[in-house]
Amino acid sequence: MPVGRRPGAYVCGTDAAMDIIDGKWKVSILWALGERGRCRFGELRRLLPGVTEKVLAAQLRELEADGIVHREEYDEVPPRVEYSLTDVGIQLNEALEPLTLWGKKHVLGALPAPAPH
C-alpha cells in the first residue's frame, strides 16, 4: 500500500519522509510496535510515558491513514483493538535505524557492540 501524499510540494525524499513521521510521538510509536510486534492501545500508552490518550489516538490514526500502522478490530466483548506495523512501517523502521545509531553515538554517547566476525 503506497503512503498517501500530503498537500504541498516536497523538496526531496527526506522532506516527504519527515512529513510522515512529523509528530512528537510517531517515532516512539514506530519503535514500540517494532519491538513488540502487536500492541493494544493501553499497552502502547504504558510504553510511552507522558503521551496523552488524545495525542496517541490522533497519531495512531495518522500513521494508519499513511499506511504505516495497521489497526485490527476484534469482534469480542469487551472490544479489543491491536496495532501493528505494516510492511511499509517495517521498512520505515529499518530506514530509521541509521538515525538511531547516530543518536546513540552523538547524543547518548553509547556505541553498539561490534558485530562478531
Side-chain angles (χ1 to χ4, degrees), residues 10-22:
Y10 294 117
V11 177
C12 63
T14 303
D15 186 27
M18 293 303 290
D19 191 34
I20 297 298
I21 60 172
D22 184 34

Side-chain angles (χ1 to χ4, degrees), residues 46-106:
R46 283 188 297 280
L47 290 170
L48 306 172
V51 69
T52 64
E53 216 170 282
K54 179 180 176 181
V55 170
L56 180 57
Q59 297 213 337
L60 282 167
R61 274 193 303 274
E62 289 175 16
L63 288 167
E64 184 184 6
D66 287 330
I68 306 298
V69 167
H70 173 72
R71 181 178 191 268
E72 183 78 31
E73 293 182 46
Y74 295 90
D75 189 21
E76 298 175 354
V77 177
R80 178 170 58 115
V81 175
E82 291 182 341
Y83 296 91
S84 60
L85 294 175
T86 63
D87 288 341
V88 174
I90 291 167
Q91 291 171 20
L92 178 56
N93 252 0
E94 290 169 354
L96 290 171
E97 184 62 26
L99 186 61
T100 299
L101 295 175
W102 185 93
K104 286 179 180 178
K105 179 179 178 183
H106 296 284

Side-chain angles (χ1 to χ4, degrees), residues 24-44:
K24 181 176 179 179
W25 297 99
K26 286 185 181 177
V27 173
S28 297
I29 292 167
L30 290 171
W31 168 81
L33 291 175
E35 289 289 310
R36 298 287 176 122
R38 293 186 165 281
C39 284
R40 293 177 72 169
F41 186 86
E43 182 180 5
L44 272 174

